[in-house]
Amino acid sequence: MPDRAAGLLTAVDCPPRLAAHLRAVHDVAHRLVDRLERDHPSVALDREAVLFGAATHDIGKVLHPGELTGLGSAHEEAGRGLLLDHGVAPRLARFAATHAAWTDPGVVLEDLLVSLADKVWKGRRVADLEDLVVARLAAATGRAAWEEFAALDDLVTALGEDADARLRFQASFPARP
């Protein structure tokens, strides 16, 4: 996890289970980015942004604790504001708001990767999201969409194999401090 993200989680008194979730999503994002950089060296990708975004995307749940164990989206915009209030650049704070809004205008590959990591960490597959990632990669590489799909499908499937262990890891921490 990036040092700056870890420091922010401490500064906002992040509950242990939320910190575990953010670490799990960050770890999946790290594996996604590593693979994309290896297989697509010509694709411009802001590695730092993806990893920071994955490590802080749900930080707004500190302000909306009911969303730690229940549904809700108030944490998204609140998280962006919290990060901005702590001096995080808008280009990095945006992930708190965009991680659940992958179809919004202006969403770029980095936003999609944070969203994908936030699904894949627990073994969830979201076809619409994966299709957007495939389309972005195909456009950037000039490869056929089916080739990009096959490679992403293999990667997401492999990442999903560790989902139960990540879920156990997260559940081993208390939801509240």
Side-chain angles (χ1 to χ4, degrees):
M1 180 171 287
D3 290 340
R4 176 113 192 256
L8 283 166
L9 298 181
T10 300
V12 300
D13 198 23
C14 183
R17 186 169 297 163
L18 177 58
H21 166 69
L22 293 171
R23 180 177 176 171
V25 175
H26 170 270
D27 289 349
V28 169
H30 198 278
R31 290 174 64 187
L32 279 168
V33 170
D34 282 351
R35 179 73 168 270
L36 290 177
E37 287 180 336
R38 186 191 83 203
D39 294 349
H40 299 84
S42 65
V43 174
L45 181 65
D46 188 342
R47 176 186 188 86
E48 173 198 5
V50 172
L51 297 180
F52 186 87
T56 60
H57 73 280
D58 274 345
I59 198 167
K61 290 184 178 185
V62 169
L63 301 174
H64 295 277
E67 295 182 18
L68 287 168
T69 55
L71 297 176
S73 60
H75 73 277
E76 295 161 8
E77 200 53 52
R80 181 192 336 232
L82 181 65
L83 290 169
L84 292 171
D85 290 347
H86 279 84
V88 173
R91 75 177 188 83
L92 298 175
R94 77 176 192 263
F95 296 102
T98 63
H99 71 274
W102 56 81
T103 60
D104 285 358
V107 167
V108 297
L109 180 59
E110 288 81 358
D111 297 295
L112 296 174
L113 294 175
V114 170
S115 299
L116 184 61
D118 190 34
K119 300 301 180 200
V120 172
W121 80 274
K122 60 185 170 189
R124 184 163 175 223
R125 303 288 301 256
V126 180
D128 292 346
L129 174 57
E130 291 177 27
D131 288 347
L132 289 170
V133 173
V134 165
R136 297 291 172 97
L137 291 174
T141 64
R143 290 175 49 187
W146 69 265
E147 290 179 274
E148 293 297 348
F149 172 80
L152 185 67
D153 183 57
D154 288 347
L155 175 57
V156 170
T157 299
L159 290 170
E161 291 173 0
D162 299 331
D164 288 342
R166 286 188 294 269
L167 286 163
R168 281 191 304 275
F169 169 76
Q170 177 182 294
S172 71
F173 292 90
R176 308 242 190 266

